[in-house]
């Protein structure tokens, strides 16, 4: 089962999982790094890690246009429905959504969560995406936490980790996170969108190569990688 992921800037990724299109945390409108507009995405599933506007900005508009289900925690899901999203699945920490071609298990993330209008957004999350050919860990916005070692026990093929610092863990803590999660490949996210989270992806990749057993994958916005 081929898996291709495309970085759309910030923490937005578009996945093609054996022909099924999935988007995580769609933030295209207002994202200076976005290589496409929200109208160009046609997912069949939308995953939301938490409620901040730089993760949910285009979720409702995409859901209305495509009727793609939004999968989110209870509070974020409630807000999505109240703002017109036609198809929402509300979940919470530890729960698993089975889409058939993949399973999505919500994990902890250490962050905050509120919706664009200030409404409480509940527990922020990461997720473990399990497919027949690979297991992915999308950390969401998070600090380093020791239970990432338990996430690593799932046998992670690719980890998507924030490295921007300021609002999430930075490069130093991302190296420790990689040692905890023990992925084959690791992809940086949540960096370079705005000045407070500017980082050098090349420097980060050099540290990953020299200080961990993982292989770094640094993408420019709009670029894709296919797992072999």
């Amino acid at each position: 089962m081929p898996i291709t992921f495309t970085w759309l800037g910030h923490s937005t990724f578009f996945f093609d999982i054996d022909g099924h299109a999935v988007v995580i945390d769609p933030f295209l409108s207002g994202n200076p790094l976005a290589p496409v507009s929200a109208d160009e995405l046609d997912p069949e599933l939308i995953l939301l890690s938490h409620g901040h506007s730089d993760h949910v900005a285009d979720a409702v508009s995409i859901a209305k246009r495509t009727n793609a289900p939004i999968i989110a925690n209870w509070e974020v899901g409630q807000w999505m429905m109240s703002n017109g999203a036609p198809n929402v699945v509300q979940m919470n920490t530890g729960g698993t959504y089975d889409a058939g071609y993949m399973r999505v298990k919500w994990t902890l993330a250490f962050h905050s969560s509120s919706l664009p209008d200030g409404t409480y957004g509940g527990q922020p999350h990461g997720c473990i995406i399990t497919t027949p050919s690979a297991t992915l860990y999308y950390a969401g916005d998070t600090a380093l936490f020791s239970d990432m070692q338990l996430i690593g026990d799932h046998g992670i093929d690719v980890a998507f980790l924030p490295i921007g610092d300021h609002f999430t863990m930075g490069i130093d803590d991302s190296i420790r996170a990689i040692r905890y999660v023990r992925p084959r490949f690791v992809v940086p996210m949540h960096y370079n969108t705005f000045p407070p989270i500017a980082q050098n992806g090349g420097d980060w990749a050099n540290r990953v190569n020299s200080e961990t057993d993982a292989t770094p994958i640094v993408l420019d916005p709009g670029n894709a990688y296919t797992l072999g």
Side-chain angles (χ1 to χ4, degrees):
M1 175 185 284
I3 298 175
T4 298
F5 51 86
T6 305
W7 188 42
L8 301 181
H10 204 57
S11 296
T12 305
F13 286 89
F14 189 84
F15 291 86
D16 183 321
I17 301 174
D18 196 28
H20 297 277
V22 178
V23 67
I24 297 184
D25 286 359
F27 169 47
L28 293 312
S29 303
N31 178 353
L33 298 183
V36 298
S37 69
D39 290 342
E40 295 176 76
L41 298 185
D42 191 24
E44 58 186 85
L45 200 64
I46 301 166
L47 305 179
L48 301 179
S49 66
H50 65 293
H52 288 159
S53 60
D54 59 331
H55 294 260
V56 306
D58 298 296
V60 171
S61 67
I62 294 172
K64 285 181 176 179
R65 177 172 51 81
T66 65
N67 203 40
I70 291 175
I71 317 299
N73 75 13
W74 187 269
E75 291 83 359
V76 171
Q78 197 69 31
W79 191 90
M80 292 290 150
M81 289 188 291
S82 69
N83 280 271
N87 192 355
V88 176
V89 178
Q90 294 169 273
M91 301 188 65
N92 219 316
T93 315
T96 300
Y97 176 81
D98 191 342
Y101 54 91
M102 70 174 189
R103 290 165 57 85
V104 182
K105 181 176 182 178
W106 294 111
T107 68
L108 286 174
F110 283 82
H111 195 58
S112 59
S113 181
S114 58
L115 281 305
D117 62 2
T119 301
Y120 172 61
Q123 167 69 48
H125 289 121
C127 64
I128 299 169
I129 299 173
T130 304
T131 77
S133 60
T135 300
L136 318 175
Y137 170 48
Y138 178 87
D141 279 13
T142 189
L144 176 72
F145 58 99
S146 60
D147 280 356
M148 285 181 171
Q149 296 171 88
L150 299 179
I151 292 170
D153 290 344
H154 287 263
I156 304 299
D157 293 292
V158 186
F160 301 83
L161 300 179
I163 67 166
D165 214 331
H166 198 84
F167 300 110
T168 67
M169 63 182 173
I171 288 178
D172 287 345
D173 281 351
S174 78
I175 298 299
R176 295 183 66 190
I178 294 166
R179 293 173 184 154
Y180 284 165
V181 176
R182 310 180 300 281
R184 291 196 299 133
F185 302 97
V186 60
V187 182
M189 64 180 184
H190 205 280
Y191 75 107
N192 285 353
T193 322
F194 308 109
I197 58 173
Q199 299 288 354
N200 187 309
D203 289 347
W204 171 83
N206 288 337
R207 289 195 59 184
V208 173
N209 279 322
S210 64
E211 299 177 38
T212 80
D213 294 327
T215 298
I217 301 172
V218 179
L219 299 173
D220 290 327
N223 285 0
Y225 186 91
T226 299
L227 290 177

